[in-house]
């Protein structure tokens, strides 16, 4: 290649960024703290009093369907001495009674009673701390940033790109939580390229035509689209990603809606919801088979990511070069990380 046509290969993020607890605290505020975070499906919050509680990038929060039909979300933190109000997971409650000393809150978060407390406090001063909640189609999101754009705007072109998929009609099949045991960006880098498919994923490599694999980045929106055509007897693949951690993996047989959730600087998890249009008993075995096929791919990614994380932490590697042809998604992902940290006053 002569000098005129020489293409630069950008540098990857330094290895230290994948294990630095202080950097994680900054990412938590600047990236996950300013994004909308998927927390529930609409079917989990249909009846009044139903709630979903979850820890979003280190913030325990919950969403509740009120008796008035409205969805409300709060930090899951009692204003007395910080106990959780509801248990993590999905449930129902008539009253919001703190599990520690029994303070009672209304469904709108107002502190109502402080049984046995023995002193006068201003109830109005100690309501639950509200956070934003919005729905898009059958999915419910929360956001900790009061200045973030509304959910539909934040999702950007993901909404049009997913328009053809009957999310509302799709039936929830199963949830899987996969403990990755790596920094969230180690998995992000991995998701951002198909370069490793032939070497890491033999079954996926047989199912799709890698010669058609393409990546499109809608930079300003934080959206990446990966797609590949079906190989004979296989499935096409469409992977939609909204930065930082929302993925729609769409195959001919159904889809998974996935969250990449950082737990701390060295741990993250994937929460998979498998959705199918057909939930008849006759096709159950087929759905299980497809889910197993998908989980094999996840397991292969987890394995390679753990080994990469070990080596990033070993102190021998600092940074590498990214392919401007096959790793455009990685380059973009890492730019988004840098950009968010910079715009948060890095
Ligand atoms: S911490 Fe909630 S009542 Fe004490
Ligand atoms: Fe992979």
């Amino acid at each position: 290649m002569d000098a005129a046509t020489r293409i630069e290969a950008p540098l990857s993020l330094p290895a230290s960024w994948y294990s630095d607890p202080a950097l994680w605290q900054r990412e938590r505020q600047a990236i996950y703290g300013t994004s909308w975070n998927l927390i529930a499906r609409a079917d989990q919050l249909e009846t009044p009093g139903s709630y979903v509680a979850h820890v979003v990038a280190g913030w325990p929060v919950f969403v509740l369907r009120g008796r008035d039909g409205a969805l409300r979300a709060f930090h899951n933190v009692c204003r007395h001495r910080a106990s959780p109000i509801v248990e993590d997971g999905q449930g129902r409650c008539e009253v919001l009674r703190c599990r520690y000393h029994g303070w009672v809150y209304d469904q709108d978060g107002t502190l109502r009673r402080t049984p046995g407390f023995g002193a006068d406090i201003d109830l109005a001063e100690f309501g639950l701390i509200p956070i934003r909640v919005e729905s898009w189609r059958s999915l419910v999101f929360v956001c900790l940033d009061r200045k973030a754009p509304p959910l539909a705007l934040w999702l950007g072109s993901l909404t049009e790109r997913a328009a053809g998929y009957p999310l509302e009609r799709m039936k929830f099949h199963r949830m899987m939580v996969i403990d990755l045991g790596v920094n969230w960006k180690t998995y992000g880098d991995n998701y951002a390229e198909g370069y490793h498919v032939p070497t890491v994923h033999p079954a996926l490599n047989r199912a799709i035509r890698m010669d058609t694999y393409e990546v499109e980045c809608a930079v300003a929106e934080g959206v990446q689209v990966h797609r590949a055509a079906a190989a004979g007897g296989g499935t096409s693949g469409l992977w939609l990603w909204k930065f930082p951690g929302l993925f729609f993996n769409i195959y001919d047989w159904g889809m998974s809606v996935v969250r990449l959730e950082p737990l701390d600087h060295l741990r993250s998890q994937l929460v998979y919801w498998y959705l199918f249009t057909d939930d008849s008993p006759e096709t159950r075995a087929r759905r299980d088979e497809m889910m197993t096929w998908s989980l094999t791919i996840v397991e292969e990614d987890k394995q390679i990511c753990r080994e990469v994380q070990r080596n990033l932490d070993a102190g021998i590697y600092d940074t590498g070069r990214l392919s401007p042809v096959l790793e455009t998604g990685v380059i973009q992902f890492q730019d988004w990380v840098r950009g968010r940290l910079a715009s948060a006053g890095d």
Side-chain angles (χ1 to χ4, degrees), residues 277-339:
T277 36
D278 176 6
D279 68 342
S280 60
E282 304 80 60
T283 55
R284 186 177 182 91
R286 173 81 181 138
R287 291 196 299 277
D288 282 339
E289 191 188 320
M290 290 301 100
M291 220 181 69
T292 305
W293 176 83
S294 153
L295 287 169
T296 302
I297 301 168
V298 181
E299 201 52 43
E300 290 162 347
D301 282 325
K302 172 175 141 182
Q303 192 57 36
I304 194 71
C305 284
R306 285 187 170 199
E307 291 172 31
V308 166
Q309 183 73 44
R310 180 198 65 184
N311 286 0
L312 289 170
D313 298 345
I316 187 64
Y317 172 99
D318 179 26
T319 181
R321 291 283 173 184
L322 297 170
S323 162
V325 181
L326 292 170
E327 291 172 305
T328 51
V330 184
I331 296 165
Q332 191 53 64
F333 169 63
Q334 299 194 353
D335 269 1
W336 281 331
V337 172
R338 283 191 201 92

Side-chain angles (χ1 to χ4, degrees), residues 73-316:
F74 303 96
H75 285 276
N76 190 9
V77 179
C78 179
R79 296 294 303 282
H80 174 219
R81 275 178 38 220
S83 163
I85 304 295
V86 292
E87 285 183 45
D88 284 354
Q90 184 180 345
R92 275 205 68 190
C93 58
E94 285 309 318
V95 282
L96 293 170
R97 190 190 314 277
C98 177
R99 293 158 55 205
Y100 204 173
H101 313 96
W103 283 20
V104 175
Y105 298 85
D106 280 345
Q107 289 189 335
D108 67 1
T110 311
L111 179 59
R112 188 53 59 203
R113 292 187 287 118
T114 59
F117 188 62
D120 273 344
I121 55 166
D122 182 359
L123 298 181
E125 227 185 281
F126 295 100
L128 293 177
I129 303 163
I131 57 174
R132 292 168 70 188
V133 56
E134 284 190 38
S135 299
W136 171 71
R137 299 182 65 178
S138 57
L139 303 175
V140 179
F141 293 74
V142 291
C143 181
L144 299 156
D145 181 1
R146 263 173 296 179
K147 296 195 296 292
L151 174 62
L153 216 62
W154 180 84
L155 285 167
S157 64
L158 194 87
T159 57
E160 295 130 51
R161 295 173 196 273
Y165 298 90
L167 267 177
E168 297 81 352
R169 279 197 290 114
M170 293 185 101
K171 309 287 188 319
F172 171 67
H173 185 64
R174 200 171 297 174
M175 176 170 98
M176 299 293 296
V177 179
I178 295 111
D179 174 17
L180 290 172
V182 299
N183 180 276
W184 70 281
K185 298 188 298 300
T186 307
Y187 184 82
D189 288 343
N190 173 274
Y191 194 91
E193 45 93 355
Y195 191 8
H196 71 274
V197 170
T199 36
V200 172
H201 302 304
L204 177 60
N205 193 45
R206 282 193 298 277
I208 59 175
R209 280 187 42 206
M210 277 309 293
D211 60 326
T212 67
Y213 195 102
E214 56 179 14
V215 180
E216 187 193 330
C217 296
V219 177
E221 301 168 2
V223 169
Q224 280 193 26
V225 183
H226 295 227
R227 58 169 80 81
T235 173
S236 64
L238 175 65
W239 299 273
L240 304 176
W241 179 6
K242 176 68 178 93
F243 179 82
L246 174 66
F247 308 113
F248 291 172
N249 302 330
I250 300 169
Y251 299 104
D252 296 347
W253 46 261
M255 69 185 289
S256 51
V257 175
V258 183
R259 288 173 274 171
L260 168 58
E261 300 188 332
L263 302 174
D264 61 27
H265 59 299
L266 286 176
R267 292 181 309 137
S268 51
Q269 67 183 14
L270 294 170
V271 181
Y272 264 74
W273 289 335
Y274 284 95
L275 305 175
F276 295 88
T277 36
D278 176 6
D279 68 342
S280 60
E282 304 80 60
T283 55
R284 186 177 182 91
R286 173 81 181 138
R287 291 196 299 277
D288 282 339
E289 191 188 320
M290 290 301 100
M291 220 181 69
T292 305
W293 176 83
S294 153
L295 287 169
T296 302
I297 301 168
V298 181
E299 201 52 43
E300 290 162 347
D301 282 325
K302 172 175 141 182
Q303 192 57 36
I304 194 71
C305 284
R306 285 187 170 199
E307 291 172 31
V308 166
Q309 183 73 44
R310 180 198 65 184
N311 286 0
L312 289 170
D313 298 345
I316 187 64

